[in-house]
Amino acid sequence: MISSYRDIEKKWQKKWAENGINNAERDDRPKFMIIFAYPGVTGYLHVGHMRGYTYVDAIGRYKRMTGYNVLFPVGTHATGNGAISLSEKIKNKDEGIIDYLIRNGCPEEKLKDLTDPMSVVNFFNEVYVNDYWKRFGFLADWRRFTCTLYPDYAKFIEWQFHKLMDAGLLIQKPYFAPACPSCGPVAVDASETDLSKGGNAETQEYTLLKFRCGDQFLIAATLRPETVYGQVCFWVNPEVEYVKLRKGNEVWIVSPQAAKKLEYQKDGLTEVGRIAGRDMVGWMCEAPMVHRKIPVFPAGFCDPDVGTGLVTSVPSDAPDDWVALEMIKKDPLIGAQYSLSQELIDSVVPISIISIDGYGEFPAKDIIDRMGITASGDPKLLDAKKQVYKDGYHAGRMKEICGEFAGMRVEEAKDKMKELMIETGEADVFYDLTEEVVCRCGKRVFIKRIDDQWFIDYANKDLTEVTSEHCKTMDINPSEYYSNIHTVLNWFRERACVRLGNWLGTRFPFDERWIIEAISDSTLYPIYYIVSIYANSGQIRPDQMTEQFFDYVYLGKGDPSSVHESTGIEKVLVERIRNDVEYWYPLDMNVGGKEHMTVHFPAFLFNHTAILPKHMWPKGIMVNWYVTGKKSKISKSKGGAQPIPGAVEKYSVDGMRLYYAHVASPFADVEWDEDTVLSYRQRIERIMGFVEELSSITGRGDVVPIDRWLLSRFNTHIGNVRSAMEKYDLRQLASTAYFEMFNDLKWYSRRGGNNSGVIMQALRLWIMTMMPITPHAAEEMWSLCGFEGMVSEAQLPETDHTKRSASAEYGEDLVRDVMSDIAQIIKVTGMQPKRIILYTASAWKVDVVKKAVELLAEGELDIPALTKRCMASEELRKRGKAVSDLAKKVASDYMRLSVDKVAPIIELDETAHLADAAAFMSSEIGYDIEVLSSDVNGLYDPHGKAKSAVPGRPAIYIE
Ligand SMILES: [Zn+2]
């Protein structure tokens, strides 16, 4: 039957498209709008990306099947300079890039067209839509496709920024941003789109401390301004030639590297001279805040590329300082070399300034001793420094010696002391990257000050509160993220929303020099999919998409007539779009990878709550984890992953879809493993073969117990699937459809089930439950069975409770249990049985269980209650101790179970059921099995076995 998966996939994808079942139009059904966070256009995607996308299609398909009108639109995000740098490289015939494109299936003749950024974007848009999403059988509404670089999308973003401005959420203030001297601003992030090195670097704020020496200042950069009370000396690297900078009427001394960095952040700096580090050793300088004269000592650890290359020394709390001071004190040669008097050296003693639980007077000394550090340059010093800093910051308090800051927590004192010193002119601020960052062009990246940077004020208190409150009403998965999102929102600060430089994106409507950056134009966009369809079809032009137009269709402000007058858009179309918005919005579910948790999702929420009315705020978020390579993350830019087109040939689309749905919880990373993926393809093949076999069965007899069992089981499964999918639990859906239902049909056929009417009912339900995850195979099987229409359009029936029978389901469990018990006994004893007898429980024992069920239903089952109730029956009372023994056992076995679990045991006619199954069990086990009721007179029971039979657990006798 399975000629070729590719043919099956093509056939059904074509049929879905012909019937337009993916197109979403407003109607009177309830609606469900779902998206995945659109991907950035930075190159080819890999098998890991398809995981979350597949969840969206499968959830959408399930929703369709259960009565919803589903809108699943897609788009791409191309803002930034990724496409620019890619097109530049293609233009320059960069071998690495050309090879990468060809290897991923880009036709060679296409390359010459990819030399401008927009053609690169359009090229990848087609790859994403055709080679990934359509190839995977997604029922997305392609007519709504949008990209952040489309002119109509830009009009939407302009409107969004007008609304943010109206809400008072656009603010301007100085900003320190990474920039390349020739390319302008660059993004420093792990994707390294703009960079050739240093994507993990962070921007760190240093406090510049000014140490007066006559008419000039030695400048030290520190991350710990709260330690100034502990300053006892000052470090200079004798091997470095420092620079003198004129700043206003002051002269600053810093390393040459720091001078260069400072130029990008401070105005009016001019170099006025140089001075060798060794020439400053022995100077006395005045420390800020404490106004003490401290000596300048030599230290090799002063790195001219870190901070200013000059360091203030606080040995009490800085391990480096402690070690270096010890060395000078112990080695007289150092002092002699720089003509430092022993008296001066001896006068320098650490000052205890911070008390931290678990540390003594000098935390730096404690940690050095604990870690066994003895010399300067020990690599463990870095960890020691971090540890003391962390412990001090969170648990430290300023000691008495710290003047007005005494008693304050370090966390608090830090900012207060910094602010005071800046106010009095003794300190300044400086930003630096935590590691070397190099632009794609090869130049070193610096932190540059931008005076009039625009921000979106996500730190706004009211906005944060309202958003956080709304999140409580949302369906956010996994639950850890639901609990954590409030912290994420509170932590979110103002975010720079525009950039200067050579970027692709929407121009900032309030100042054309700026381009709106990538995170800020990708937050409110789900609502744009409702309008994009009209822009794509040409019914509205970008120039007609004015603020007035969007105000009406999104916010209901104004009226259609005046929108028509000012834009020329037909009034009925304006009304139609407004109705579409009211119908489709809010967004029901936004699915995105875990990298979205800290930036995209919070910004998405904030923009909705800031701009739209409350009834349009998002209803759900689902985060999916990654597919990883063997022992490493699969990365889009760095390769290492299987390209999608090759993978679908090998594993089939449905094989991969089933793999994503079933291999793990969405909230755990999985390691890509070929054999595992292949095993899912094989399972689908087995299922398809089995369905073909079942559909050819023609039995037409009466409905017998095994038929009732099958229909009951399948209706139970449908109920379970429905409740699992309330929580979007695709994994449970997959377990039920591809494993449990499969096993049930296998059992049915083993038990001789052959009623074609029943089989067809079961197949209908089975194929429907497989449709969301493996739609191509499902269509193929649906058509093979001769069912009408397409399964992608079928409606899953509600559970038919009239077909459910707990006792029928229980009866088959009993047969299976008994068979496995017998097999176990034979195996353990190594017997060759001549005779196997199953004794079922006597009627009086069933009566005891009945009374237990009654008590369970009344919520009062325990040993005394059951004994009492049994003794109330004359029939039972006369059996005396046998009854009270059984009552004890039954009560303790069933006490914690629900009525549903226990009732089937007494509803089933156990003797008749097992007698019916005896021939089957005999043939399966390979030995004859007889079933006897303990109530029959003249029982053949040579070893008194029948006595131990209880309802639900027949006694097994083997001889
Ligand atoms: Zn550059």
Side-chain angles (χ1 to χ4, degrees), residues 262-288:
L262 282 168
E263 265 175 45
Y264 290 103
Q265 297 176 26
K266 309 278 174 208
D267 289 327
L269 291 179
T270 24
E271 184 177 332
V272 289
R274 297 245 166 176
I275 180 166
R278 61 177 59 255
D279 293 344
M280 294 189 278
V281 175
W283 284 11
M284 295 298 287
C285 58
E286 187 185 320

mmCIF file of all heavy atoms in Angstrom, residues 262-288:
data_model
loop_
_atom_site.group_PDB
_atom_site.id
_atom_site.type_symbol
_atom_site.label_atom_id
_atom_site.label_comp_id
_atom_site.label_asym_id
_atom_site.label_seq_id
_atom_site.Cartn_x
_atom_site.Cartn_y
_atom_site.Cartn_z
ATOM 1 N N LEU A 262 37.094 55.613 26.577
ATOM 2 C CA LEU A 262 36.455 56.797 27.180
ATOM 3 C C LEU A 262 36.054 57.823 26.132
ATOM 4 O O LEU A 262 35.047 58.508 26.275
ATOM 5 C CB LEU A 262 37.392 57.439 28.202
ATOM 6 C CG LEU A 262 37.477 56.735 29.559
ATOM 7 C CD1 LEU A 262 38.639 57.267 30.377
ATOM 8 C CD2 LEU A 262 36.163 56.913 30.339
ATOM 9 N N GLU A 263 36.843 57.910 25.065
ATOM 10 C CA GLU A 263 36.524 58.856 23.991
ATOM 11 C C GLU A 263 35.108 58.657 23.455
ATOM 12 O O GLU A 263 34.472 59.604 23.030
ATOM 13 C CB GLU A 263 37.472 58.625 22.810
ATOM 14 C CG GLU A 263 38.682 59.506 22.789
ATOM 15 C CD GLU A 263 39.593 59.083 21.639
ATOM 16 O OE1 GLU A 263 39.076 58.850 20.515
ATOM 17 O OE2 GLU A 263 40.808 58.951 21.888
ATOM 18 N N TYR A 264 34.645 57.389 23.448
ATOM 19 C CA TYR A 264 33.308 57.105 22.915
ATOM 20 C C TYR A 264 32.201 57.445 23.910
ATOM 21 O O TYR A 264 31.040 57.434 23.565
ATOM 22 C CB TYR A 264 33.183 55.624 22.532
ATOM 23 C CG TYR A 264 34.000 55.246 21.331
ATOM 24 C CD1 TYR A 264 35.197 54.561 21.478
ATOM 25 C CD2 TYR A 264 33.579 55.589 20.045
ATOM 26 C CE1 TYR A 264 35.965 54.225 20.376
ATOM 27 C CE2 TYR A 264 34.334 55.253 18.940
ATOM 28 C CZ TYR A 264 35.528 54.565 19.117
ATOM 29 O OH TYR A 264 36.272 54.231 18.015
ATOM 30 N N GLN A 265 32.608 57.701 25.167
ATOM 31 C CA GLN A 265 31.579 57.898 26.188
ATOM 32 C C GLN A 265 31.603 59.279 26.825
ATOM 33 O O GLN A 265 30.635 59.685 27.460
ATOM 34 C CB GLN A 265 31.731 56.823 27.280
ATOM 35 C CG GLN A 265 31.507 55.426 26.740
ATOM 36 C CD GLN A 265 31.752 54.351 27.775
ATOM 37 O OE1 GLN A 265 31.621 54.585 28.970
ATOM 38 N NE2 GLN A 265 32.111 53.162 27.330
ATOM 39 N N LYS A 266 32.731 60.002 26.719
ATOM 40 C CA LYS A 266 32.848 61.309 27.393
ATOM 41 C C LYS A 266 33.165 62.382 26.348
ATOM 42 O O LYS A 266 33.894 62.123 25.397
ATOM 43 C CB LYS A 266 33.989 61.298 28.423
ATOM 44 C CG LYS A 266 33.956 60.146 29.405
ATOM 45 C CD LYS A 266 33.012 60.416 30.550
ATOM 46 C CE LYS A 266 32.905 59.174 31.428
ATOM 47 N NZ LYS A 266 31.605 59.107 32.101
ATOM 48 N N ASP A 267 32.648 63.567 26.609
ATOM 49 C CA ASP A 267 32.913 64.667 25.685
ATOM 50 C C ASP A 267 34.240 65.352 25.999
ATOM 51 O O ASP A 267 34.671 65.383 27.149
ATOM 52 C CB ASP A 267 31.796 65.713 25.802
ATOM 53 C CG ASP A 267 30.513 65.169 25.216
ATOM 54 O OD1 ASP A 267 30.592 64.383 24.257
ATOM 55 O OD2 ASP A 267 29.435 65.514 25.744
ATOM 56 N N GLY A 268 34.844 65.938 24.981
ATOM 57 C CA GLY A 268 35.969 66.864 25.115
ATOM 58 C C GLY A 268 37.201 66.302 25.793
ATOM 59 O O GLY A 268 37.833 66.978 26.607
ATOM 60 N N LEU A 269 37.558 65.073 25.488
ATOM 61 C CA LEU A 269 38.782 64.521 26.053
ATOM 62 C C LEU A 269 39.929 64.774 25.067
ATOM 63 O O LEU A 269 39.788 64.511 23.882
ATOM 64 C CB LEU A 269 38.636 63.008 26.251
ATOM 65 C CG LEU A 269 37.678 62.519 27.329
ATOM 66 C CD1 LEU A 269 37.650 60.996 27.355
ATOM 67 C CD2 LEU A 269 38.109 63.049 28.697
ATOM 68 N N THR A 270 41.059 65.296 25.590
ATOM 69 C CA THR A 270 42.238 65.427 24.702
ATOM 70 C C THR A 270 43.463 64.881 25.405
ATOM 71 O O THR A 270 43.664 65.132 26.594
ATOM 72 C CB THR A 270 42.530 66.892 24.315
ATOM 73 O OG1 THR A 270 41.971 67.746 25.311
ATOM 74 C CG2 THR A 270 42.001 67.250 22.956
ATOM 75 N N GLU A 271 44.269 64.170 24.649
ATOM 76 C CA GLU A 271 45.493 63.626 25.235
ATOM 77 C C GLU A 271 46.501 64.767 25.360
ATOM 78 O O GLU A 271 46.739 65.512 24.419
ATOM 79 C CB GLU A 271 46.041 62.508 24.340
ATOM 80 C CG GLU A 271 47.252 61.867 24.964
ATOM 81 C CD GLU A 271 47.819 60.687 24.172
ATOM 82 O OE1 GLU A 271 47.050 60.019 23.457
ATOM 83 O OE2 GLU A 271 49.035 60.454 24.297
ATOM 84 N N VAL A 272 47.092 64.880 26.585
ATOM 85 C CA VAL A 272 48.049 65.977 26.773
ATOM 86 C C VAL A 272 49.423 65.452 27.177
ATOM 87 O O VAL A 272 50.329 66.249 27.442
ATOM 88 C CB VAL A 272 47.544 66.994 27.842
ATOM 89 C CG1 VAL A 272 46.362 67.783 27.308
ATOM 90 C CG2 VAL A 272 47.186 66.297 29.144
ATOM 91 N N GLY A 273 49.569 64.139 27.223
ATOM 92 C CA GLY A 273 50.900 63.624 27.551
ATOM 93 C C GLY A 273 50.846 62.157 27.925
ATOM 94 O O GLY A 273 49.791 61.529 27.903
ATOM 95 N N ARG A 274 52.031 61.614 28.246
ATOM 96 C CA ARG A 274 52.144 60.214 28.639
ATOM 97 C C ARG A 274 52.992 60.130 29.898
ATOM 98 O O ARG A 274 53.810 61.022 30.167
ATOM 99 C CB ARG A 274 52.831 59.403 27.531
ATOM 100 C CG ARG A 274 52.031 59.390 26.227
ATOM 101 C CD ARG A 274 51.564 57.988 25.928
ATOM 102 N NE ARG A 274 50.521 57.995 24.885
ATOM 103 C CZ ARG A 274 49.997 56.884 24.384
ATOM 104 N NH1 ARG A 274 50.400 55.700 24.818
ATOM 105 N NH2 ARG A 274 49.064 56.952 23.473
ATOM 106 N N ILE A 275 52.825 59.061 30.656
ATOM 107 C CA ILE A 275 53.668 58.876 31.834
ATOM 108 C C ILE A 275 53.839 57.373 32.083
ATOM 109 O O ILE A 275 52.873 56.612 31.979
ATOM 110 C CB ILE A 275 53.089 59.591 33.086
ATOM 111 C CG1 ILE A 275 54.020 59.362 34.290
ATOM 112 C CG2 ILE A 275 51.677 59.133 33.411
ATOM 113 C CD1 ILE A 275 53.729 60.278 35.466
ATOM 114 N N ALA A 276 55.070 56.982 32.372
ATOM 115 C CA ALA A 276 55.342 55.560 32.601
ATOM 116 C C ALA A 276 54.803 55.154 33.955
ATOM 117 O O ALA A 276 54.896 55.912 34.927
ATOM 118 C CB ALA A 276 56.843 55.295 32.542
ATOM 119 N N GLY A 277 54.245 53.959 34.016
ATOM 120 C CA GLY A 277 53.679 53.448 35.265
ATOM 121 C C GLY A 277 54.704 53.476 36.383
ATOM 122 O O GLY A 277 54.412 53.901 37.507
ATOM 123 N N ARG A 278 55.973 53.069 36.065
ATOM 124 C CA ARG A 278 57.001 53.001 37.128
ATOM 125 C C ARG A 278 57.262 54.365 37.753
ATOM 126 O O ARG A 278 57.639 54.467 38.907
ATOM 127 C CB ARG A 278 58.281 52.363 36.599
ATOM 128 C CG ARG A 278 58.946 53.112 35.444
ATOM 129 C CD ARG A 278 60.239 52.432 35.034
ATOM 130 N NE ARG A 278 60.001 51.045 34.611
ATOM 131 C CZ ARG A 278 60.305 49.976 35.341
ATOM 132 N NH1 ARG A 278 60.848 50.121 36.528
ATOM 133 N NH2 ARG A 278 60.064 48.765 34.884
ATOM 134 N N ASP A 279 57.049 55.426 36.955
ATOM 135 C CA ASP A 279 57.299 56.768 37.489
ATOM 136 C C ASP A 279 56.246 57.205 38.499
ATOM 137 O O ASP A 279 56.426 58.182 39.219
ATOM 138 C CB ASP A 279 57.352 57.793 36.348
ATOM 139 C CG ASP A 279 58.566 57.554 35.457
ATOM 140 O OD1 ASP A 279 59.486 56.825 35.905
ATOM 141 O OD2 ASP A 279 58.569 58.058 34.320
ATOM 142 N N MET A 280 55.135 56.493 38.548
ATOM 143 C CA MET A 280 54.084 56.886 39.505
ATOM 144 C C MET A 280 54.191 56.115 40.810
ATOM 145 O O MET A 280 53.562 56.475 41.805
ATOM 146 C CB MET A 280 52.696 56.670 38.880
ATOM 147 C CG MET A 280 52.431 57.594 37.684
ATOM 148 S SD MET A 280 50.718 57.502 37.125
ATOM 149 C CE MET A 280 50.729 56.069 36.110
ATOM 150 N N VAL A 281 54.988 55.033 40.828
ATOM 151 C CA VAL A 281 55.143 54.249 42.057
ATOM 152 C C VAL A 281 55.752 55.140 43.139
ATOM 153 O O VAL A 281 56.709 55.889 42.863
ATOM 154 C CB VAL A 281 56.040 53.013 41.809
ATOM 155 C CG1 VAL A 281 56.309 52.276 43.123
ATOM 156 C CG2 VAL A 281 55.400 52.088 40.790
ATOM 157 N N GLY A 282 55.161 55.119 44.300
ATOM 158 C CA GLY A 282 55.664 55.943 45.395
ATOM 159 C C GLY A 282 54.911 57.257 45.558
ATOM 160 O O GLY A 282 55.036 57.932 46.571
ATOM 161 N N TRP A 283 54.067 57.597 44.588
ATOM 162 C CA TRP A 283 53.233 58.797 44.740
ATOM 163 C C TRP A 283 52.280 58.601 45.913
ATOM 164 O O TRP A 283 51.938 57.479 46.280
ATOM 165 C CB TRP A 283 52.368 59.029 43.497
ATOM 166 C CG TRP A 283 53.093 59.583 42.297
ATOM 167 C CD1 TRP A 283 54.446 59.707 42.135
ATOM 168 C CD2 TRP A 283 52.472 60.065 41.087
ATOM 169 N NE1 TRP A 283 54.725 60.226 40.902
ATOM 170 C CE2 TRP A 283 53.524 60.464 40.232
ATOM 171 C CE3 TRP A 283 51.164 60.209 40.640
ATOM 172 C CZ2 TRP A 283 53.291 61.001 38.962
ATOM 173 C CZ3 TRP A 283 50.931 60.727 39.386
ATOM 174 C CH2 TRP A 283 51.983 61.129 38.548
ATOM 175 N N MET A 284 51.833 59.722 46.465
ATOM 176 C CA MET A 284 50.755 59.646 47.447
ATOM 177 C C MET A 284 49.530 60.294 46.784
ATOM 178 O O MET A 284 49.633 61.382 46.201
ATOM 179 C CB MET A 284 51.113 60.431 48.726
ATOM 180 C CG MET A 284 52.296 59.847 49.509
ATOM 181 S SD MET A 284 52.017 58.163 50.128
ATOM 182 C CE MET A 284 50.866 58.479 51.458
ATOM 183 N N CYS A 285 48.383 59.604 46.857
ATOM 184 C CA CYS A 285 47.188 60.203 46.257
ATOM 185 C C CYS A 285 46.051 60.192 47.280
ATOM 186 O O CYS A 285 46.049 59.404 48.222
ATOM 187 C CB CYS A 285 46.803 59.471 44.981
ATOM 188 S SG CYS A 285 46.489 57.725 45.206
ATOM 189 N N GLU A 286 45.078 61.076 47.044
ATOM 190 C CA GLU A 286 44.003 61.216 48.020
ATOM 191 C C GLU A 286 42.799 60.379 47.570
ATOM 192 O O GLU A 286 42.242 60.608 46.499
ATOM 193 C CB GLU A 286 43.597 62.684 48.142
ATOM 194 C CG GLU A 286 42.597 62.924 49.262
ATOM 195 C CD GLU A 286 42.115 64.376 49.291
ATOM 196 O OE1 GLU A 286 42.935 65.296 49.074
ATOM 197 O OE2 GLU A 286 40.915 64.580 49.514
ATOM 198 N N ALA A 287 42.439 59.390 48.402
ATOM 199 C CA ALA A 287 41.340 58.492 48.037
ATOM 200 C C ALA A 287 40.000 59.205 48.174
ATOM 201 O O ALA A 287 39.800 59.969 49.115
ATOM 202 C CB ALA A 287 41.354 57.256 48.925
ATOM 203 N N PRO A 288 39.083 58.948 47.234
ATOM 204 C CA PRO A 288 37.771 59.601 47.305
ATOM 205 C C PRO A 288 36.981 59.109 48.519
ATOM 206 O O PRO A 288 37.252 58.042 49.045
ATOM 207 C CB PRO A 288 37.099 59.176 46.004
ATOM 208 C CG PRO A 288 37.802 57.928 45.583
ATOM 209 C CD PRO A 288 39.204 58.044 46.082
#
